[in-house]
Amino acid sequence: SAAARRPWKLYGAMCLLRLPRITQPLEKEEEEVAALMEQIELEKSHYSDHEIRKLEEEERLKRKRESLYDEDDAHGKAVIMAQDLEEKWEQKFLQFKAAPRITDADKSNDRTSLNRKLDSNLMLLVKQKIGNQELWLLPQVEWQPGETLRSTAERAMATFLGDHIQAKVLGNAPYGIYKYKFPKAIRIENNVGAKVFFFKAFLQSSDLSQAELKADYLWVTKKELGDYLKLEYLKKVNRFLLD
Amino acid sequence: PCRAQPKKKKKFDVKKEQAQKERMKKKLKKLEKAAPELIPIEDFITPLKYSESNRVRSLPTLSPEESERRVLLLKKWCLFKQKQDEAEKKAIKALVESQQEALKELRLESEELFQAAIRRDEGLFPFERDGPRYTPPLPGYDPPEGKCTDITKVYTQ
């Protein structure tokens, strides 16, 4: 009687997100206002110790050139000017080379690498066989009686990425649902269709070298999902994904 | 005479000492009754050397075009932020709706799965996250060595 009341097959799917590693570039308005705020802050501020030292040394240099009497030689000690210090600091800064924001994977558009698009969220897509079609989907696995849907989703993640995945699942509740009916050819009384419940998780470790990937996989951003997912599925998935 | 004088000294001393002790105790009690002194917040007290007149910057005054440009830019910023806020709220609303729909369908399926789903997740909070930086971490970078001495003043009440 339980099966008659539940003609839907249940699947648990995991949407694994790799969070952004660098900040997104500023919009035009944001840059303009940031420049304005800096200007206003400069206007409202007072001179700092370093700037006062610089001004005094400039005055002293000017007086030295105008007058014939050298005051510093009379003291007989070497004076480090604030200007020299600034130049030294500038040199040291130029010697440092930061890692590039656009990586090699970005340039080659290698969608299987995690090092791509460091300023946006990346989602895991796997190629799975549903019925007799091979489709790109979020990793999903059928629910087995005796486990909660969250553990189904975690099992789905482990099936495709191995056990050594460190991911933080965001809560026990599903984030979205995709319901579909099987084509009439394989529809029986007890199996009208399937419901796929989506869960969200954040990838904690950035090192996936230990992962045993068993199928074709891709890491894509929200905008690129449209290239791979079917329309109805995409509509439901887009609802719970924040850009 | 030799015997009498040391005895007097002792009595006097004892009495004086007792009187002194009582005075000290009274002073201590008075101090304790008074409200404790407030710890000064060093961030809110500007040191006097920064209010000297030679510190004031000398910059050219703003032209009317410049102040006009500033006002218009701030108005544009206001609109930009409003649109951004609206978009965020819309996205959050869509997220919540999607979740409610999923829970409704789950309830239709099985009550026990539904109860398991709406249970509080204890391991979720406190949620920590290393925020995004401007450039990705440089592999094999050796930061320069240095020592940090803490010179904050500690006040006791």
Side-chain angles (χ1 to χ4, degrees):
Chain A
S1 66
R5 250 185 289 139
R6 280 193 270 154
W8 300 87
K9 266 186 158 187
L10 297 181
Y11 286 88
M14 181 61 87
C15 179
L16 193 59
L17 289 165
R18 185 226 63 185
L19 295 168
R21 299 253 199 84
I22 56 177
T23 49
Q24 288 180 333
L26 293 174
E27 312 259 334
K28 190 171 74 95
E29 283 101 344
E30 286 180 320
E31 276 188 22
E32 285 176 11
V33 173
L36 176 65
M37 290 298 153
E38 269 195 46
Q39 180 72 20
I40 292 180
E41 203 179 300
L42 187 74
E43 284 165 11
K44 284 192 178 172
S45 68
H46 289 215
Y47 285 127
S48 66
D49 290 338
H50 181 81
E51 286 185 312
I52 287 207
R53 182 177 155 178
K54 237 171 98 170
L55 288 172
E56 283 178 354
E57 280 167 10
E58 269 175 29
E59 282 223 19
R60 229 191 295 160
L61 259 182
K62 226 170 39 173
R63 270 188 282 133
K64 211 165 88 168
R65 273 181 218 144
E66 285 168 8
S67 72
L68 297 167
Y69 177 56
D70 283 328
E71 298 165 21
D72 291 327
D73 275 352
H75 290 284
K77 53 180 180 204
V79 174
I80 307 174
M81 305 275 282
Q83 191 67 35
D84 299 333
L85 275 176
E86 276 193 14
E87 280 169 18
K88 205 169 76 171
W89 295 333
E90 187 72 31
Q91 288 294 317
K92 210 166 169 192
F93 178 60
L94 288 170
Q95 276 171 10
F96 173 72
K97 279 244 132 73
R101 282 166 63 104
I102 304 181
T103 57
D104 296 330
D106 264 327
K107 291 183 200 147
S108 60
N109 202 12
D110 175 19
R111 292 198 174 179
T112 54
S113 124
L114 263 185
N115 262 343
R116 198 173 72 95
K117 295 272 182 194
L118 291 172
D119 63 348
S120 36
N121 286 335
L122 282 184
M123 267 147 279
L124 180 67
L125 281 184
V126 259
K127 209 165 201 178
Q128 284 182 285
K129 197 155 182 197
I130 303 283
N132 51 2
Q133 283 179 316
E134 289 246 342
L135 298 170
W136 281 110
L137 302 168
L138 297 175
Q140 71 185 43
V141 137
E142 193 170 342
W143 172 76
Q144 261 145 33
E147 61 176 6
T148 58
L149 275 173
R150 176 183 163 155
S151 15
T152 319
E154 285 172 348
R155 195 158 55 88
M157 205 165 54
T159 330
F160 288 99
L161 289 177
D163 286 325
H164 301 281
I165 283 292
Q166 288 164 10
K168 185 139 193 170
V169 185
L170 299 176
N172 286 323
Y175 272 78
I177 176 168
Y178 176 60
K179 215 161 67 170
Y180 67 98
K181 290 194 172 153
F182 293 140
K184 290 215 168 89
I186 52 169
R187 214 186 285 185
I188 23 174
E189 238 185 65
N190 275 352
N191 252 335
V192 169
K195 286 189 183 177
V196 186
F197 289 96
F198 298 106
F199 285 80
K200 240 183 176 182
F202 288 154
L203 189 66
Q204 299 287 90
S205 66
S206 53
D207 172 33
L208 285 179
S209 52
Q210 281 189 342
E212 310 124 27
L213 290 128
K214 291 171 188 144
D216 289 336
Y217 68 100
L218 284 181
W219 291 96
V220 287
T221 56
K222 189 178 172 190
K223 296 197 189 103
E224 294 159 4
L225 278 178
D227 299 339
Y228 299 96
L229 298 179
K230 301 238 160 143
L231 198 62
E232 286 298 319
Y233 193 82
L234 178 68
K235 268 205 276 189
K236 294 287 179 167
V237 168
N238 267 342
R239 279 175 74 191
F240 66 83
L241 290 178
L242 299 171
D243 211 2
Chain B
C2 283
R3 265 187 235 169
Q5 276 173 351
K7 280 187 188 170
K8 273 188 200 171
K9 273 187 193 169
K10 272 189 194 171
K11 276 187 201 168
F12 262 114
D13 278 346
V14 165
K15 275 190 190 168
K16 273 186 186 174
E17 278 180 38
Q18 280 179 343
Q20 266 183 351
K21 276 185 194 171
E22 278 170 37
R23 265 181 263 150
M24 293 289 280
K25 279 184 197 170
K26 278 187 188 170
K27 277 185 189 170
L28 276 170
K29 276 186 192 172
K30 265 193 185 173
L31 279 172
E32 275 166 28
K33 273 188 198 171
E37 220 179 76
L38 300 165
I39 300 175
I41 304 173
E42 279 178 36
D43 284 335
F44 291 171
I45 311 168
T46 26
L48 287 169
K49 70 170 182 173
Y50 292 125
S51 16
E52 278 173 29
S53 57
N54 72 332
R55 293 257 181 179
V56 180
R57 234 173 250 277
S58 52
L59 290 162
T61 47
L62 288 175
S63 62
E65 291 97 19
E66 178 65 24
S67 40
E68 180 85 15
R69 176 197 85 106
R70 284 187 184 185
V71 166
L72 287 172
L73 183 62
L74 286 173
K75 289 197 176 179
K76 259 204 300 187
W77 176 246
C78 201
L79 196 69
F80 174 81
K81 270 297 185 187
Q82 186 194 34
K83 295 233 165 77
Q84 199 184 54
D85 192 41
E86 272 175 25
E88 263 184 36
K89 290 197 170 131
K90 204 168 121 176
I92 292 178
K93 206 168 141 191
L95 194 104
V96 168
E97 267 176 18
S98 161
Q99 194 167 49
Q100 292 293 4
E101 195 190 311
L103 284 172
K104 205 172 70 175
E105 293 282 337
L106 183 58
R107 193 157 209 183
L108 288 175
E109 278 302 303
S110 102
E111 191 62 31
E112 52 172 87
L113 281 180
F114 176 75
Q115 291 300 327
I118 58 177
R119 231 180 295 158
R120 195 182 279 205
D121 186 4
E122 299 299 330
L124 189 59
F125 294 109
F127 180 76
E128 278 175 11
R129 201 218 134 166
D130 215 15
R133 318 289 163 97
Y134 186 66
T135 49
L138 200 59
Y141 177 64
D142 193 20
E145 298 243 333
K147 209 166 58 153
C148 184
T149 37
D150 201 3
I151 50 168
T152 39
K153 292 196 195 146
V154 176
Y155 294 93
T156 43
Q157 278 189 327

Short mmCIF file of all heavy atoms in Angstrom, two decimals, chain A residues 189-225:
data_model
loop_
_atom_site.label_atom_id
_atom_site.label_comp_id
_atom_site.label_asym_id
_atom_site.label_seq_id
_atom_site.Cartn_x
_atom_site.Cartn_y
_atom_site.Cartn_z
N GLU A 189 2.20 1.25 -13.40
CA GLU A 189 1.32 1.80 -12.36
C GLU A 189 2.10 2.34 -11.19
O GLU A 189 1.76 3.35 -10.62
CB GLU A 189 0.41 0.68 -11.87
CG GLU A 189 -1.05 1.01 -12.05
CD GLU A 189 -1.90 -0.06 -11.44
OE1 GLU A 189 -1.83 -0.22 -10.19
OE2 GLU A 189 -2.58 -0.75 -12.19
N ASN A 190 3.15 1.59 -10.82
CA ASN A 190 3.87 1.98 -9.61
C ASN A 190 4.92 3.05 -9.84
O ASN A 190 5.43 3.61 -8.90
CB ASN A 190 4.57 0.75 -8.99
CG ASN A 190 3.60 0.00 -8.10
OD1 ASN A 190 2.51 0.47 -7.85
ND2 ASN A 190 4.01 -1.16 -7.65
N ASN A 191 5.25 3.30 -11.09
CA ASN A 191 6.35 4.22 -11.35
C ASN A 191 5.95 5.28 -12.36
O ASN A 191 6.15 5.13 -13.55
CB ASN A 191 7.55 3.44 -11.92
CG ASN A 191 8.65 3.35 -10.89
OD1 ASN A 191 8.74 4.18 -10.01
ND2 ASN A 191 9.47 2.35 -11.05
N VAL A 192 5.34 6.34 -11.87
CA VAL A 192 4.88 7.37 -12.79
C VAL A 192 6.03 8.25 -13.26
O VAL A 192 6.15 8.63 -14.40
CB VAL A 192 3.80 8.22 -12.10
CG1 VAL A 192 3.47 9.45 -12.90
CG2 VAL A 192 2.58 7.38 -11.86
N GLY A 193 6.88 8.59 -12.33
CA GLY A 193 7.98 9.48 -12.69
C GLY A 193 8.97 9.56 -11.55
O GLY A 193 9.00 8.71 -10.67
N ALA A 194 9.77 10.60 -11.57
CA ALA A 194 10.79 10.74 -10.54
C ALA A 194 10.82 12.16 -10.02
O ALA A 194 10.46 13.11 -10.72
CB ALA A 194 12.16 10.38 -11.12
N LYS A 195 11.23 12.28 -8.74
CA LYS A 195 11.43 13.60 -8.14
C LYS A 195 12.89 13.68 -7.72
O LYS A 195 13.38 12.82 -6.99
CB LYS A 195 10.57 13.74 -6.88
CG LYS A 195 9.10 13.91 -7.15
CD LYS A 195 8.38 14.25 -5.86
CE LYS A 195 6.89 14.36 -6.13
NZ LYS A 195 6.12 14.63 -4.92
N VAL A 196 13.55 14.71 -8.20
CA VAL A 196 14.96 14.90 -7.83
C VAL A 196 15.03 16.07 -6.84
O VAL A 196 14.62 17.17 -7.16
CB VAL A 196 15.81 15.23 -9.07
CG1 VAL A 196 17.27 15.27 -8.68
CG2 VAL A 196 15.57 14.23 -10.17
N PHE A 197 15.55 15.80 -5.63
CA PHE A 197 15.69 16.85 -4.61
C PHE A 197 17.13 17.33 -4.62
O PHE A 197 18.05 16.53 -4.53
CB PHE A 197 15.34 16.29 -3.23
CG PHE A 197 13.88 16.02 -3.07
CD1 PHE A 197 13.37 14.76 -3.29
CD2 PHE A 197 13.02 17.03 -2.70
CE1 PHE A 197 12.02 14.51 -3.15
CE2 PHE A 197 11.66 16.78 -2.55
CZ PHE A 197 11.16 15.52 -2.78
N PHE A 198 17.32 18.64 -4.70
CA PHE A 198 18.66 19.22 -4.77
C PHE A 198 19.11 19.68 -3.40
O PHE A 198 18.35 20.31 -2.68
CB PHE A 198 18.68 20.42 -5.70
CG PHE A 198 18.32 20.08 -7.11
CD1 PHE A 198 17.10 20.44 -7.62
CD2 PHE A 198 19.22 19.40 -7.91
CE1 PHE A 198 16.76 20.13 -8.92
CE2 PHE A 198 18.88 19.09 -9.20
CZ PHE A 198 17.65 19.44 -9.71
N PHE A 199 20.38 19.39 -3.07
CA PHE A 199 21.00 19.91 -1.86
C PHE A 199 22.21 20.73 -2.27
O PHE A 199 22.78 20.52 -3.33
CB PHE A 199 21.44 18.75 -0.95
CG PHE A 199 20.29 18.09 -0.26
CD1 PHE A 199 19.52 17.16 -0.92
CD2 PHE A 199 19.99 18.42 1.05
CE1 PHE A 199 18.44 16.56 -0.29
CE2 PHE A 199 18.92 17.82 1.69
CZ PHE A 199 18.15 16.89 1.02
N LYS A 200 22.59 21.67 -1.38
CA LYS A 200 23.73 22.54 -1.70
C LYS A 200 24.86 22.26 -0.73
O LYS A 200 24.61 22.03 0.46
CB LYS A 200 23.29 23.99 -1.49
CG LYS A 200 23.36 24.87 -2.69
CD LYS A 200 22.96 26.25 -2.26
CE LYS A 200 23.07 27.23 -3.35
NZ LYS A 200 22.72 28.56 -2.91
N ALA A 201 26.09 22.30 -1.23
CA ALA A 201 27.24 22.16 -0.34
C ALA A 201 28.37 23.03 -0.84
O ALA A 201 28.50 23.28 -2.04
CB ALA A 201 27.70 20.70 -0.29
N PHE A 202 29.20 23.50 0.10
CA PHE A 202 30.37 24.30 -0.26
C PHE A 202 31.59 23.41 -0.20
O PHE A 202 31.80 22.69 0.78
CB PHE A 202 30.56 25.45 0.73
CG PHE A 202 29.55 26.55 0.60
CD1 PHE A 202 29.24 27.34 1.68
CD2 PHE A 202 28.92 26.81 -0.59
CE1 PHE A 202 28.31 28.37 1.58
CE2 PHE A 202 27.98 27.83 -0.72
CZ PHE A 202 27.68 28.61 0.38
N LEU A 203 32.42 23.47 -1.23
CA LEU A 203 33.64 22.68 -1.24
C LEU A 203 34.65 23.34 -0.32
O LEU A 203 34.96 24.52 -0.45
CB LEU A 203 34.18 22.65 -2.68
CG LEU A 203 35.33 21.71 -2.96
CD1 LEU A 203 34.88 20.29 -2.79
CD2 LEU A 203 35.83 21.93 -4.36
N GLN A 204 35.17 22.57 0.67
CA GLN A 204 36.09 23.17 1.65
C GLN A 204 37.53 23.09 1.18
O GLN A 204 38.28 24.03 1.27
CB GLN A 204 35.97 22.45 3.00
CG GLN A 204 34.60 22.53 3.62
CD GLN A 204 34.30 23.90 4.16
OE1 GLN A 204 33.79 24.75 3.44
NE2 GLN A 204 34.65 24.14 5.39
N SER A 205 37.94 21.91 0.68
CA SER A 205 39.34 21.79 0.28
C SER A 205 39.46 22.08 -1.19
O SER A 205 38.59 21.74 -1.98
CB SER A 205 39.84 20.38 0.56
OG SER A 205 39.14 19.48 -0.29
N SER A 206 40.53 22.73 -1.58
CA SER A 206 40.69 23.07 -2.99
C SER A 206 41.51 22.01 -3.71
O SER A 206 41.72 22.09 -4.89
CB SER A 206 41.39 24.41 -3.11
OG SER A 206 42.57 24.36 -2.35
N ASP A 207 41.94 20.99 -2.98
CA ASP A 207 42.81 20.00 -3.58
C ASP A 207 42.01 18.74 -3.87
O ASP A 207 41.60 18.04 -2.95
CB ASP A 207 43.96 19.71 -2.59
CG ASP A 207 44.81 18.54 -3.06
OD1 ASP A 207 44.95 18.39 -4.29
OD2 ASP A 207 45.31 17.80 -2.21
N LEU A 208 41.77 18.44 -5.13
CA LEU A 208 40.97 17.27 -5.47
C LEU A 208 41.82 16.17 -6.10
O LEU A 208 41.34 15.36 -6.85
CB LEU A 208 39.86 17.65 -6.45
CG LEU A 208 38.69 18.41 -5.86
CD1 LEU A 208 37.69 18.72 -6.95
CD2 LEU A 208 38.00 17.60 -4.80
N SER A 209 43.14 16.18 -5.82
CA SER A 209 43.99 15.20 -6.48
C SER A 209 43.68 13.79 -6.00
O SER A 209 43.87 12.84 -6.71
CB SER A 209 45.46 15.53 -6.21
OG SER A 209 45.65 15.68 -4.82
N GLN A 210 43.13 13.70 -4.77
CA GLN A 210 42.84 12.36 -4.26
C GLN A 210 41.50 11.84 -4.75
O GLN A 210 41.15 10.71 -4.53
CB GLN A 210 42.81 12.40 -2.73
CG GLN A 210 44.17 12.39 -2.11
CD GLN A 210 44.07 12.20 -0.60
OE1 GLN A 210 43.02 12.41 -0.02
NE2 GLN A 210 45.15 11.80 0.00
N ALA A 211 40.74 12.72 -5.40
CA ALA A 211 39.39 12.31 -5.81
C ALA A 211 39.48 11.30 -6.95
O ALA A 211 40.23 11.49 -7.90
CB ALA A 211 38.61 13.53 -6.25
N GLU A 212 38.67 10.23 -6.84
CA GLU A 212 38.68 9.23 -7.91
C GLU A 212 37.46 9.51 -8.77
O GLU A 212 36.35 9.14 -8.44
CB GLU A 212 38.56 7.82 -7.31
CG GLU A 212 39.54 7.55 -6.18
CD GLU A 212 38.83 7.11 -4.92
OE1 GLU A 212 37.72 6.53 -4.99
OE2 GLU A 212 39.38 7.33 -3.84
N LEU A 213 37.71 10.21 -9.84
CA LEU A 213 36.57 10.61 -10.67
C LEU A 213 36.20 9.49 -11.62
O LEU A 213 37.03 9.02 -12.38
CB LEU A 213 36.95 11.87 -11.45
CG LEU A 213 37.03 13.03 -10.50
CD1 LEU A 213 38.33 13.77 -10.64
CD2 LEU A 213 35.88 13.96 -10.72
N LYS A 214 34.94 9.07 -11.53
CA LYS A 214 34.57 7.88 -12.30
C LYS A 214 33.82 8.19 -13.57
O LYS A 214 33.50 7.30 -14.31
CB LYS A 214 33.71 6.98 -11.40
CG LYS A 214 34.56 6.39 -10.30
CD LYS A 214 33.77 5.66 -9.27
CE LYS A 214 34.73 5.30 -8.14
NZ LYS A 214 34.13 5.38 -6.84
N ALA A 215 33.48 9.44 -13.77
CA ALA A 215 32.71 9.75 -14.98
C ALA A 215 33.19 11.08 -15.53
O ALA A 215 34.03 11.74 -14.92
CB ALA A 215 31.23 9.80 -14.66
N ASP A 216 32.66 11.48 -16.66
CA ASP A 216 32.99 12.79 -17.21
C ASP A 216 32.44 13.85 -16.30
O ASP A 216 31.28 13.79 -15.90
CB ASP A 216 32.35 12.96 -18.59
CG ASP A 216 33.03 12.08 -19.61
OD1 ASP A 216 34.20 11.74 -19.39
OD2 ASP A 216 32.38 11.75 -20.60
N TYR A 217 33.27 14.84 -16.00
CA TYR A 217 32.81 15.88 -15.09
C TYR A 217 33.23 17.24 -15.63
O TYR A 217 34.14 17.35 -16.44
CB TYR A 217 33.43 15.67 -13.70
CG TYR A 217 34.91 15.89 -13.67
CD1 TYR A 217 35.44 17.10 -13.20
CD2 TYR A 217 35.79 14.91 -14.12
CE1 TYR A 217 36.80 17.31 -13.19
CE2 TYR A 217 37.14 15.13 -14.11
CZ TYR A 217 37.65 16.33 -13.63
OH TYR A 217 39.00 16.54 -13.62
N LEU A 218 32.54 18.27 -15.14
CA LEU A 218 32.86 19.64 -15.52
C LEU A 218 32.61 20.55 -14.34
O LEU A 218 31.71 20.30 -13.54
CB LEU A 218 31.93 20.12 -16.64
CG LEU A 218 32.14 19.65 -18.06
CD1 LEU A 218 31.10 20.30 -18.94
CD2 LEU A 218 33.51 20.03 -18.56
N TRP A 219 33.39 21.64 -14.26
CA TRP A 219 33.12 22.67 -13.27
C TRP A 219 32.70 23.91 -14.05
O TRP A 219 33.49 24.45 -14.82
CB TRP A 219 34.38 22.96 -12.45
CG TRP A 219 34.79 21.85 -11.56
CD1 TRP A 219 35.70 20.90 -11.82
CD2 TRP A 219 34.30 21.58 -10.24
NE1 TRP A 219 35.82 20.05 -10.75
CE2 TRP A 219 34.98 20.45 -9.76
CE3 TRP A 219 33.36 22.18 -9.41
CZ2 TRP A 219 34.75 19.90 -8.51
CZ3 TRP A 219 33.13 21.64 -8.15
CH2 TRP A 219 33.82 20.51 -7.72
N VAL A 220 31.45 24.33 -13.88
CA VAL A 220 30.94 25.44 -14.68
C VAL A 220 30.35 26.52 -13.79
O VAL A 220 29.93 26.25 -12.67
CB VAL A 220 29.85 24.98 -15.67
CG1 VAL A 220 30.46 24.21 -16.80
CG2 VAL A 220 28.79 24.18 -14.97
N THR A 221 30.31 27.75 -14.32
CA THR A 221 29.67 28.85 -13.60
C THR A 221 28.18 28.84 -13.93
O THR A 221 27.72 28.11 -14.80
CB THR A 221 30.24 30.21 -14.02
OG1 THR A 221 30.10 30.31 -15.44
CG2 THR A 221 31.70 30.32 -13.66
N LYS A 222 27.43 29.70 -13.24
CA LYS A 222 25.98 29.72 -13.41
C LYS A 222 25.61 30.08 -14.86
O LYS A 222 24.66 29.55 -15.42
CB LYS A 222 25.39 30.73 -12.45
CG LYS A 222 23.89 30.67 -12.41
CD LYS A 222 23.31 31.65 -11.42
CE LYS A 222 21.81 31.67 -11.58
NZ LYS A 222 21.15 32.72 -10.85
N LYS A 223 26.40 30.99 -15.45
CA LYS A 223 26.06 31.43 -16.81
C LYS A 223 26.27 30.30 -17.81
O LYS A 223 25.57 30.22 -18.81
CB LYS A 223 26.93 32.62 -17.20
CG LYS A 223 26.68 33.81 -16.36
CD LYS A 223 27.23 35.08 -17.00
CE LYS A 223 27.15 36.22 -16.02
NZ LYS A 223 28.41 36.57 -15.39
N GLU A 224 27.26 29.44 -17.53
CA GLU A 224 27.58 28.39 -18.51
C GLU A 224 26.68 27.17 -18.36
O GLU A 224 26.77 26.24 -19.15
CB GLU A 224 29.04 27.98 -18.35
CG GLU A 224 30.00 29.08 -18.72
CD GLU A 224 31.37 28.89 -18.11
OE1 GLU A 224 31.57 27.85 -17.46
OE2 GLU A 224 32.23 29.76 -18.27
N LEU A 225 25.83 27.16 -17.31
CA LEU A 225 24.96 26.00 -17.11
C LEU A 225 24.06 25.77 -18.32
O LEU A 225 23.73 24.65 -18.65
CB LEU A 225 24.08 26.21 -15.88
CG LEU A 225 24.68 25.90 -14.51
CD1 LEU A 225 23.67 26.22 -13.44
CD2 LEU A 225 25.08 24.46 -14.43
#
